[in-house]
Amino acid sequence: MNKKLMVILVALACVSCNPKTQTRMNEPEKNLQMIAQKAGEYAPFTLTADLTSLTVRERQMLPLLFEAASLMEEIFWKEAFGDKSLLFEGVTHQELRKFLEINYGPWERLNNNEPFLSSYGPKPKGAQFYPQDMTREEFEAWDEPSKSSLYTLIRRDQAGKLAAVPYHVAFKEETEKAAELIRKAAELADDPGLKKYLNARAEALLTDAYFESDMLWMDMKSNSIEFIVGPIENYEDQLFGYKAAHEAFVLVKDLEWSKKLEKYTALLPGLQQNLPVPPEYKSETPGVDSDMNVYDALYYAGDCNAGSKTIAINLPNDEKVQAAKGSRKLQLKNSMQAKFDKILVPIAELLIDSAQLKHVRFDAFFENTMFHEVAHGLGPSMTLGRPVSVRMALKDAYTSLEESKADILGLWCVHRLNETGEFPGKDMMDNYVTFMAGIFRSVRFGAASAHGKANMIRFNYFKEQG
Ligand code: ZN
C-alpha cells in the first residue's frame, strides 16, 4: 500500500464516525412509544423454501454465502449511517433497536427519511458516500475522473482536500473476507456456470471491475442457487445518484415455475396476434429471448433489506452487459407469499364481498404478478406512422399507462391461456377477484407512484363499467 492511500484511510476512519453520539436513553417517552408503534407495523414473516432440488454440496455452499452476504450488510451500514456500534451503544429499548435495524439508521425510510431520534437531524442526502461538509459546488469543481464512479467513496485527505477511495480499499477487510468465502463456495458448486460466476464475482469485489462477472452471470442458466452480491443499486445516494450500495441476495430457483415461464414466454408471439385490438397495433414481434425465473429468497442483506423488501429484481444495470446479453428478471415467490398473507388478505377481508373472499388465492396473485411481467413485453413500442416511440409520445403519462397496460394485459393473458387449455382446472374467478383486491393493495402507493396511478385508473374504469 502506498503512502497516499494510507493517509486517505486514516482520514476515512475519522470522518466515518458520526459526531452525534449522545445516548438515546434521554429520548422522550412519547417518542419511544411512537417508535414502538411504528416498529410493530412491520409484520414478521418466516421465509421457507424447498431445498430438495439442491445437491448435498450445494447445501454446503449456503452457510458460506450467508456469511459473505452478512459482510455486505456490514458495508451497507457504513454507507447508510457510519459506525453502527455508536448508534446502538446503550440502547436497550427492544422496539427502538428493531426500528433502527429495519431502517439501517435513525431515519425512517418509508416516511421520506424523517429522523425519528431527537438527537439526529435530517439524513445526509449523499448518505455516507461523501464528506458531510462537502458542497455540490466543491464536488463539481473538483477535477478527478473517478469522483462519479459507482465504486468510490469520497473522503477528505489530511490536507482537507477531496479524495476518491475505491470501494475495495475503503472496505478492504470485508471484501477480502467475502471474496474468500465466495471462492470456497465456488469450490462446492456443481454447476459450471455458477462456479465461473462466483470466482469472477469474488475477483470483482477485490478490484471493483464488475463487467466480466456480470457477463458470466447472464451466461449461467442451469444453476439452482442464485447469489447476487456487491455494490449494485444507487438509490441510497440521493445527492448525485452515482454511488452503488452493497447488498446480497441468496436465492434458490423454483425449477417448476421457471420452466412454466419459459414456456409462456415462447407463446408471446401467439398471444400478441390474438390481442383484442385492430391489426395495425400488433405488427411488432415481441422478443422471446427474455430471461425470467422464479426463486425463493433465503437471505437478504444490506440495501435490498432496508425498509420495504424487494420482491422482484431486474439486473444487471450495466448497459454494456444489457446490450450484449439482455437482462434477467427474478421473481421472489416466498416474499410474494408474505405480501399476500400479511397485506393483501387483510385488505381483501375488509373490502371484498364475503361471498367472493374464497376467490382471493395466492396462486392467482402469483399468476397475475407473473403475467404482469410477461405483458410488459407485449403491445406496440412504436407509434403508428411516425418514428416516435410510445414512451416518447406519452411522456410523463408513460410509466403509469405502461404499468396499467401490464396489469390488465397480464390478466388477459391468463384468460387467453386458460381458453387455450394451458391451465387445466383453473377457476378464472380466482384471478379476477384477486386482481380486484390487488387494486386496493396497490393504490396505497399513492398518486406519486406509477403503480398507484395505474391501479386508480383501473379502479375508475371498472366502476364506470359497473
Ligand atoms: Zn410493471
Side-chain angles (χ1 to χ4, degrees):
M1 189 187 294
N2 66 35
K3 267 197 183 132
K4 194 177 166 210
L5 278 182
M6 297 269 281
V7 171
I8 293 170
L9 280 176
V10 172
L12 184 90
C14 303
V15 282
S16 67
C17 61
N18 206 303
K20 287 170 185 133
T21 56
Q22 298 112 291
T23 164
R24 253 67 56 191
M25 287 306 89
N26 49 20
E27 198 62 33
E29 185 54 35
K30 217 177 96 196
N31 199 22
L32 286 173
Q33 279 171 8
M34 187 197 68
I35 289 168
Q37 191 209 323
K38 282 172 181 285
E41 286 170 4
Y42 283 77
F45 187 86
T46 305
L47 294 174
T48 57
D50 178 7
L51 300 183
T52 52
S53 69
L54 302 186
T55 66
V56 174
R57 282 159 58 86
E58 281 172 334
R59 277 180 231 182
Q60 289 167 352
M61 292 170 69
L62 295 177
L64 296 166
L65 298 179
F66 294 160
E67 209 182 320
S70 71
L71 290 158
M72 299 301 118
E73 175 90 356
E74 294 303 314
I75 298 177
F76 182 67
W77 263 106
K78 292 185 178 179
E79 292 165 337
F81 173 75
D83 187 345
K84 176 187 172 185
S85 65
L86 295 174
L87 182 65
F88 285 91
E89 201 172 28
V91 178
T92 49
H93 190 274
Q94 282 313 303
E95 281 94 349
L96 173 54
R97 291 189 76 91
K98 179 181 163 192
F99 207 51
L100 289 169
E101 275 161 12
I102 288 170
N103 287 287
Y104 290 78
W107 303 285
E108 190 183 355
R109 287 176 182 269
L110 298 190
N111 185 21
N112 205 21
N113 279 329
E114 288 293 318
F116 54 83
L117 285 180
S118 49
S119 48
Y120 285 86
K123 180 173 182 177
K125 271 205 158 336
Q128 299 294 320
F129 295 110
Y130 308 90
Q132 305 305 298
D133 62 352
M134 183 194 80
T135 62
R136 216 170 235 282
E137 292 70 30
E138 183 185 15
F139 183 81
E140 273 157 13
W142 179 31
D143 182 23
E144 164 57 50
S146 72
K147 68 178 182 182
S148 54
S149 160
L150 284 162
Y151 312 122
T152 56
L153 281 187
I154 309 305
R155 291 295 181 255
R156 290 195 186 281
D157 62 19
Q158 277 188 333
K161 291 214 183 77
L162 293 178
V165 191
Y167 278 2
H168 71 275
V169 176
F171 307 120
K172 188 170 189 287
E173 202 187 314
E174 294 91 342
T175 47
E176 282 183 355
K177 255 194 247 168
E180 196 189 316
L181 289 160
I182 296 168
R183 283 190 174 129
K184 271 194 197 151
E187 282 172 28
L188 293 163
D190 292 320
D191 183 79
L194 178 61
K195 191 187 275 293
K196 259 195 199 164
Y197 159 71
L198 288 176
N199 279 318
R201 202 66 180 175
E203 183 62 24
L205 284 170
L206 300 174
T207 58
D208 296 321
Y210 288 92
F211 178 78
E212 193 55 41
S213 64
D214 277 348
M215 295 286 276
L216 289 169
W217 185 69
M218 282 308 296
D219 287 342
M220 90 189 173
K221 304 283 180 199
S222 52
N223 55 308
S224 297
I225 291 180
E226 176 64 81
F227 187 48
I228 295 170
V229 63
I232 297 177
E233 305 289 356
N234 33 24
Y235 307 116
E236 188 69 9
D237 171 7
Q238 296 191 359
L239 185 60
F240 292 108
Y242 291 148
K243 306 300 170 194
H246 285 73
E247 65 181 3
F249 293 93
V250 184
L251 313 171
V252 174
K253 200 185 278 177
D254 181 327
L255 296 171
E256 195 186 323
W257 252 104
S258 296
K259 248 205 170 63
K260 279 192 214 167
L261 268 183
E262 201 178 312
K263 188 172 106 188
Y264 300 140
T265 310
L267 298 174
L268 279 179
L271 282 171
Q272 171 115 325
Q273 278 321 303
N274 285 290
L275 291 181
V277 296
E280 55 270 33
Y281 288 105
K282 35 190 185 180
S283 57
E284 292 176 33
T285 311
V288 291
D289 53 353
S290 82
D291 182 332
M292 203 182 318
N293 290 298
V294 179
Y295 304 80
D296 280 324
L298 301 186
Y299 204 97
Y300 286 79
D303 196 22
C304 62
N305 193 43
S308 58
K309 302 290 173 280
T310 302
I311 58 164
I313 310 165
N314 191 6
L315 284 174
N317 290 330
D318 185 340
E319 290 93 356
K320 288 198 299 282
V321 182
Q322 281 186 18
K325 306 269 182 187
S327 67
R328 173 171 295 147
K329 286 191 165 82
L330 303 93
Q331 310 289 332
L332 312 188
K333 187 161 174 261
N334 58 354
S335 302
M336 286 184 197
Q337 179 87 53
K339 295 218 176 189
F340 179 81
D341 290 358
K342 299 288 185 177
I343 302 173
L344 188 73
V345 168
I347 288 174
E349 281 168 354
L350 281 175
L351 294 168
I352 297 293
D353 189 307
S354 59
Q356 294 188 332
L357 261 183
K358 61 177 190 287
H359 292 295
V360 177
R361 295 175 53 100
F362 177 69
D363 284 353
F365 176 65
F366 185 61
E367 282 161 8
N368 291 354
T369 310
M370 289 293 96
F371 282 94
H372 168 105
E373 293 303 331
V374 170
H376 271 306
L378 288 176
S381 65
M382 295 301 288
T383 56
L384 297 185
R386 286 191 303 156
V388 178
S389 67
V390 173
R391 178 192 294 270
M392 293 297 283
L394 289 176
K395 297 198 187 79
D396 56 330
Y398 174 74
T399 52
S400 49
L401 289 179
E402 173 62 27
E403 290 308 331
S404 201
K405 178 205 86 175
D407 273 335
I408 198 67
L409 188 50
L411 186 62
W412 179 84
C413 288
V414 180
H415 156 86
R416 174 72 196 167
L417 290 171
N418 188 44
E419 258 182 8
T420 57
E422 291 291 339
F423 297 117
K426 159 167 290 304
D427 182 353
M428 273 309 289
M429 205 55 189
D430 293 351
N431 294 72
Y432 297 145
V433 178
T434 304
F435 187 89
M436 196 55 96
I439 289 179
F440 298 118
R441 182 181 78 90
S442 302
V443 286
R444 298 174 312 141
F445 306 146
S449 146
H451 290 91
K453 258 190 247 174
N455 280 277
M456 193 46 91
I457 290 170
R458 283 196 317 287
F459 175 78
N460 285 324
Y461 178 81
F462 287 141
K463 199 166 157 244
E464 279 160 26
Q465 304 296 315

